[in-house]
C-alpha cells in the first residue's frame, strides 16, 4: 500500500507537469550555434514588464511607482505555455533584464486577426507586426498593414525601411520567423527568410535629434490581441564584425517621391528617385519580379540604383496588383492586372516629365522573372495611348526606348514552353488556372490542356506573340546556358526562353542581345552596362 501511494504521488506530479507546463520544467530551447536563449521556455525569468510610453512623461516618485506597478502587473498578462511566451494582448511589454547593443536576434511568433505588435530594439520602437489582412485606409495613408510586417513603423514616413520591401507574413495559425540584425543604428529584418528591411537607420523615437542608444533592452509589445513567442535567441556582434558589416553595406538613398499613386488601388504606387541634372534625364523604369504573386520594389534594384543615379539616370520602381488582387478586382485574365498596371505607371511617369525633369523618350524598362516578362510585354506591345481620352495620363505613350531584363519568361504560350523546355511548369496562374488535385492535374497541366480556349489571351499577353519590326532593342540575361528540348534545373528562368526570343527578334529585324555563361560575342556583361549604353547614347 505504501508503494502504491508513492507511485500515485509520482504519477500525480508527472501528470501536473504535462497539464500545467508553465509550472514545470519544459525542454530548454536549443539555440543555433553561436546564439543563446533569452527565454528559457519555463518561466518569466530574465524578463519584466515595462511599457515605456506609460512612464516616459513621468519623473521622480510618480515614475518609480509606475514602474513598480508595471512590474507587478507583468505576470497578469504574460504566461508560459508549452515552452511559449504568451501575451493576452494587454498589459506592459515583456522587457529583457539585460541590455543589448549590436546583435543578431532570432524570434518566432504567432498571432491572431486584429492583433498589432512589434519588437523594440534598445528600448526603441519598433519592428512592426501587423494583421496584414486589414484594409488600407486612405484617411490614414501612413498606416499600411496590407504591406505586411517587419518594417520600422516608427520611422519617418516616406523613408526606406519604414515599410517592408515585400509582404512575407504567413497565414494566421502558422509561426512566423523573424531575424533582426542591429549594428549601430542600422537595422536589417528578415521575415520568413525574406529580406524586408535592408540596413535602414532606426530612428530614435524618443528624441529624433539624437542617435539610437548604444544599448537597451529587447521589448515585445502588447497591443490588443493574443501573441505567442518562442525560440528567442540572440548572438552579440563584436566590434570587428560590426565594422565589416557596415564597411560592406551600400545604403540606398530615400526616394525623391515615395509611394506616389498612379491609380486608385493601394498597390498602384511607385517610388521615384530623381538624378541631379540641368537637363531632362533618361529613366530606368523598374518592375520587380515574384511571379506576379510576391516580391517587392527593391528586389533586384539595389545594385543598379546608385549607379544609375550617379550616371544621371532617374529611377522609377513600380508596385502593382498581384494576380490574386487583380482576380479580386474582377480582372480577367488575372495577368491583365499587373501588366495593365505597368502600362498605366509608364504613362503616369511620362505625364510627370516636366515636373520631374525627365526625358520622355529615353525610358528603359528592366526587371527580373515576372518583372522581366512585364518589361518585354511593354516593349513589344503596340502603342496603348488613347489620344482622344479626357484623362491626360491615358494620352501618354506606352512605348519604350529599350529593355534589359534578367531571367525573363519570353512566352506565355504553354505549347511553346513545353516544346522549348519539356519540364516547364510556369504561367497557369496568370490565366486563372490553379490545378485540379482530384484529377492530379497541376496548374500547368490545365493551362496546356485548355490552351486552345485562351488563344486570344495568349496573343495579347505573351511577349513573343507581340514582336514586330518597329519594336525597340532588348537585352536578355540568364544565369545558365541553354539546352533546347531538354529538361532544365530551373525551367521557369531557363535561357531557352532567350534563345527562342532572339531567333524571333532577328527574324523580325529587332535587335536582341542575349547573355548567359559561355555566350559568345558578349558586348555588355550586365543589364546595368547595357542600360547605361542605350539610355546615354
Amino acid at each position: 500500500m505504501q508503494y502504491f501511494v508513492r507511485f500515485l504521488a509520482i504519477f500525480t506530479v508527472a501528470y501536473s507537469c504535462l497539464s500545467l507546463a508553465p509550472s514545470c520544467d519544459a525542454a530548454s530551447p536549443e539555440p543555433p550555434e553561436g546564439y543563446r536563449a533569452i527565454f528559457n521556455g519555463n518561466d518569466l525569468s530574465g524578463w519584466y514588464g515595462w511599457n515605456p510610453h506609460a512612464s516616459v512623461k513621468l519623473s521622480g516618485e510618480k515614475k518609480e511607482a509606475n514602474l513598480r506597478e508595471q512590474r507587478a502587473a507583468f505576470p497578469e498578462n504574460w504566461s508560459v505555455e508549452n515552452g511559449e511566451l504568451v501575451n493576452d494582448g494587454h498589459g506592459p511589454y515583456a522587457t529583457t533584464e539585460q541590455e543589448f547593443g549590436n546583435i543578431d536576434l532570432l524570434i518566432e511568433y504567432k498571432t491572431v486577426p486584429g492583433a498589432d505588435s512589434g519588437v523594440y530594439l534598445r528600448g526603441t520602437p519598433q519592428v512592426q507586426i501587423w494583421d496584414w489582412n486589414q484594409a488600407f485606409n486612405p484617411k490614414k495613408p501612413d498606416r499600411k498593414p496590407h504591406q505586411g510586417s517587419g518594417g520600422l513603423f516608427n520611422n519617418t514616413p516616406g523613408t526606406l525601411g519604414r515599410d517592408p520591401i515585400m509582404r512575407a507574413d504567413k497565414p494566421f495559425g502558422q509561426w512566423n520567423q523573424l531575424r533582426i540584425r542591429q549594428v549601430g543604428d542600422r537595422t536589417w529584418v528578415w521575415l520568413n527568410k525574406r529580406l524586408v528591411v535592408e540596413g535602414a537607420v532606426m530612428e530614435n523615437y524618443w528624441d529624433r535629434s539624437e542617435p539610437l542608444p548604444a544599448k537597451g533592452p529587447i521589448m515585445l509589445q502588447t497591443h490588443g490581441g493574443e501573441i505567442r513567442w518562442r525560440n528567442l535567441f540572440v548572438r552579440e556582434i563584436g566590434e570587428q564584425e560590426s565594422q565589416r558589416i557596415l564597411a560592406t553595406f551600400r545604403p540606398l538613398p530615400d526616394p525623391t517621391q515615395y509611394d506616389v499613386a498612379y491609380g486608385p488601388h493601394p498597390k498602384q504606387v511607385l517610388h521615384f528617385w530623381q538624378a541631379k541634372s540641368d537637363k531632362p534625364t533618361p529613366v530606368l523604369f523598374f518592375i520587380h519580379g515574384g511571379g506576379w504573386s510576391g516580391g517587392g520594389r527593391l528586389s533586384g534594384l539595389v545594385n543598379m540604383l546608385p549607379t544609375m543615379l550617379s550616371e544621371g539616370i532617374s529611377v522609377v520602381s513600380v508596385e502593382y496588383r498581384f494576380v490574386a488582387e487583380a482576380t479580386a478586382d474582377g480582372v480577367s485574365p488575372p495577368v491583365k492586372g499587373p501588366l495593365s498596371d505597368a502600362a498605366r505607371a509608364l504613362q503616369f511617369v511620362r505625364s510627370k516629365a516636366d515636373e520631374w525633369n525627365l526625358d520622355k523618350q529615353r525610358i528603359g524598362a528592366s526587371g527580373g522573372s515576372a518583372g522581366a516578362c512585364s518589361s518585354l510585354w511593354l516593349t513589344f506591345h503596340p502603342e496603348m495611348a488613347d489620344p482622344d481620352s479626357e484623362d491626360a495620363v491615358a494620352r501618354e505613350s506606352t512605348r519604350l526606348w529599350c529593355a534589359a531584363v534578367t531571367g525573363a519568361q519570353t512566352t506565355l504560350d504553354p505549347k511553346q514552353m513545353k516544346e522549348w523546355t519539356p519540364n516547364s511548369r510556369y504561367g497557369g496562374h496568370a490565366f486563372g488556372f490553379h490545378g485540379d488535385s482530384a484529377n492530379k492535374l497541376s496548374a500547368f497541366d490545365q493551362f496546356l490542356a485548355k490552351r486552345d480556349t485562351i488563344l486570344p489571351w495568349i496573343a495579347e499577353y505573351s511577349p513573343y506573340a507581340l514582336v514586330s519590326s518597329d519594336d525597340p532593342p532588348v537585352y536578355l540575361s540568364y544565369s545558365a546556358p541553354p539546352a533546347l528540348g531538354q529538361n532544365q534545373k530551373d525551367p521557369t528562368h531557363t535561357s531557352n526562353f532567350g534563345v527562342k526570343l532572339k531567333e524571333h527578334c532577328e527574324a523580325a529585324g529587332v535587335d536582341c542581345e542575349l547573355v548567359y555563361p559561355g555566350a559568345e560575342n558578349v558586348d555588355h556583361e550586365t543589364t546595368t552596362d547595357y542600360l547605361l549604353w542605350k539610355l546615354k547614347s
Side-chain angles (χ1 to χ4, degrees):
M1 181 68 177
Q2 189 175 22
Y3 174 82
F4 175 77
V5 171
R6 287 182 60 201
F7 173 80
L8 182 61
I10 293 171
F11 175 82
T12 301
V13 172
Y15 180 80
S16 298
C17 283
L18 290 173
S19 58
L20 300 173
S23 63
C24 303
D25 288 341
S28 298
E30 291 291 333
E33 184 177 354
Y35 292 77
R36 61 183 174 86
I38 55 174
F39 165 58
N40 64 22
N42 294 301
D43 56 39
L44 302 176
S45 298
W47 296 79
Y48 69 98
W50 180 27
N51 177 350
H53 302 277
S55 61
V56 68
K57 294 183 179 180
L58 302 178
S59 61
E61 292 183 0
K62 288 185 178 181
K63 185 168 187 176
E64 292 177 6
N66 178 272
L67 295 176
R68 285 195 300 270
E69 290 173 2
Q70 291 198 59
R71 278 184 177 265
F74 180 51
E76 298 176 9
N77 304 102
W78 290 85
S79 59
V80 181
E81 298 177 7
N82 302 316
E84 300 165 13
L85 183 59
V86 185
N87 174 254
D88 62 7
H90 306 284
Y93 306 165
T95 305
T96 58
E97 296 279 3
Q98 182 179 353
E99 294 193 341
F100 299 90
N102 296 344
I103 57 171
D104 225 323
L105 177 64
L106 306 179
I107 295 180
E108 295 183 23
Y109 72 89
K110 181 169 62 174
T111 189
V112 297
D116 177 345
S117 185
V119 179
Y120 284 37
L121 303 171
R122 303 183 192 173
T124 305
Q126 74 178 311
V127 175
Q128 178 70 18
I129 294 173
W130 287 112
D131 172 0
W132 57 267
N133 296 286
Q134 298 176 70
F136 173 69
N137 182 355
K139 295 181 179 180
K140 298 180 178 179
D142 294 330
R143 294 180 61 86
K144 302 171 184 176
H146 64 287
Q147 291 189 3
S149 301
L152 308 184
F153 175 69
N154 294 92
N155 275 11
T156 301
T159 57
L160 293 179
R162 186 182 191 274
D163 303 310
I165 294 171
M166 67 182 74
R167 191 178 71 207
D169 304 66
K170 290 185 177 180
F172 288 116
Q174 297 184 26
W175 287 93
N176 292 273
Q177 295 84 38
L178 270 176
R179 178 190 173 194
I180 303 170
R181 176 194 290 166
Q182 187 70 44
V183 180
D185 61 358
R186 292 201 173 271
T187 310
W188 287 256
V189 181
W190 292 262
L191 177 58
N192 298 318
K193 300 183 179 179
R194 300 289 185 90
L195 183 63
V196 296
V197 171
E198 185 169 12
V201 170
M202 174 174 264
E203 298 174 14
N204 185 345
Y205 172 82
W206 308 111
D207 184 351
R208 297 188 194 275
S209 67
E210 294 292 328
L212 197 68
K215 281 194 169 185
I218 295 167
M219 310 176 79
L220 308 179
Q221 187 189 49
T222 64
H223 210 300
E226 181 191 89
I227 187 165
R228 293 173 174 264
W229 313 82
R230 70 180 186 187
N231 294 332
L232 282 76
F233 306 125
V234 70
R235 180 179 69 85
E236 293 178 90
I237 300 175
E239 184 62 27
Q240 288 187 341
E241 183 183 356
S242 297
Q243 290 178 2
R244 286 197 304 270
I245 291 171
L246 295 178
T248 57
F249 174 64
R250 192 179 186 187
L252 298 178
D254 288 321
T256 310
Q257 301 287 338
Y258 188 98
D259 267 2
V260 181
Y262 63 85
H265 194 279
K267 294 290 291 294
Q268 291 172 324
V269 292
L270 56 82
H271 289 342
F272 169 67
W273 290 264
Q274 187 173 46
K276 294 180 180 179
S277 177
D278 295 331
K279 59 183 180 180
T281 67
V283 181
L284 166 61
F285 185 82
F286 187 84
I287 309 172
H288 74 81
W292 298 305
S293 301
R297 274 169 288 174
L298 295 181
S299 303
L301 181 61
V302 171
N303 293 328
M304 301 171 70
L305 177 60
T307 301
M308 291 292 162
L309 294 177
S310 68
E311 292 288 336
I313 298 173
S314 296
V315 178
V316 170
S317 188
V318 180
E319 188 55 280
Y320 50 84
R321 289 172 295 173
F322 294 159
V323 161
E325 291 151 344
T327 300
D329 284 349
V331 178
S332 182
V335 74
K336 180 181 178 180
L339 294 184
S340 62
D341 284 359
R344 175 71 182 187
L346 177 57
Q347 292 175 303
F348 177 83
V349 169
R350 278 205 165 94
S351 75
K352 290 288 187 177
D354 291 340
E355 180 181 344
W356 291 354
N357 193 33
L358 306 179
D359 182 339
K360 280 189 175 187
Q361 298 302 313
R362 293 177 183 267
I363 301 179
S366 187
S369 191
C373 187
S374 297
S375 297
L376 294 178
W377 179 80
L378 277 176
T379 305
F380 300 137
H381 200 286
E383 177 66 76
M384 289 177 273
D386 181 359
D388 299 322
S389 176
E390 295 181 359
D391 177 6
V393 173
R395 296 196 295 268
E396 296 286 351
S397 174
T398 59
R399 298 296 277 166
L400 291 164
W401 184 259
C402 65
V405 297
T406 59
Q409 301 87 34
T410 61
T411 182
L412 292 179
D413 183 340
K415 182 180 178 182
Q416 284 181 323
M417 291 189 210
K418 194 77 172 174
E419 291 171 352
W420 301 351
T421 308
N423 64 330
S424 292
R425 55 175 181 261
Y426 184 80
H429 69 300
F431 295 98
F433 299 110
H434 302 289
D436 181 355
S437 58
N439 293 308
K440 298 182 179 180
L441 292 175
S442 68
F444 187 84
D445 292 333
Q446 281 189 322
F447 187 24
L448 185 60
K450 298 286 188 179
R451 172 184 179 271
D452 289 348
T453 68
I454 60 167
L455 287 176
W457 285 350
I458 292 172
E460 172 63 17
Y461 299 108
S462 175
Y464 185 96
L466 296 170
V467 175
S468 59
S469 60
D470 61 344
D471 290 331
V474 296
Y475 174 97
L476 312 172
S477 176
Y478 294 89
S479 61
L484 283 169
Q486 299 179 31
N487 286 351
Q488 298 286 283
K489 183 178 180 180
D490 182 5
T492 301
H493 306 100
T494 173
S495 54
N496 290 352
F497 280 119
V499 170
K500 299 305 292 185
L501 181 64
K502 182 175 175 63
E503 292 176 358
H504 192 45
C505 284
E506 289 179 343
V510 175
D511 184 52
C512 177
E513 189 172 333
L514 174 61
V515 175
Y516 54 80
E520 297 179 353
N521 303 317
V522 172
D523 293 324
H524 303 92
E525 293 288 343
T526 67
T527 54
T528 299
D529 293 338
Y530 182 87
L531 287 164
L532 291 175
W533 173 63
K534 288 301 295 183
L535 291 175
K536 297 185 70 174
S537 62

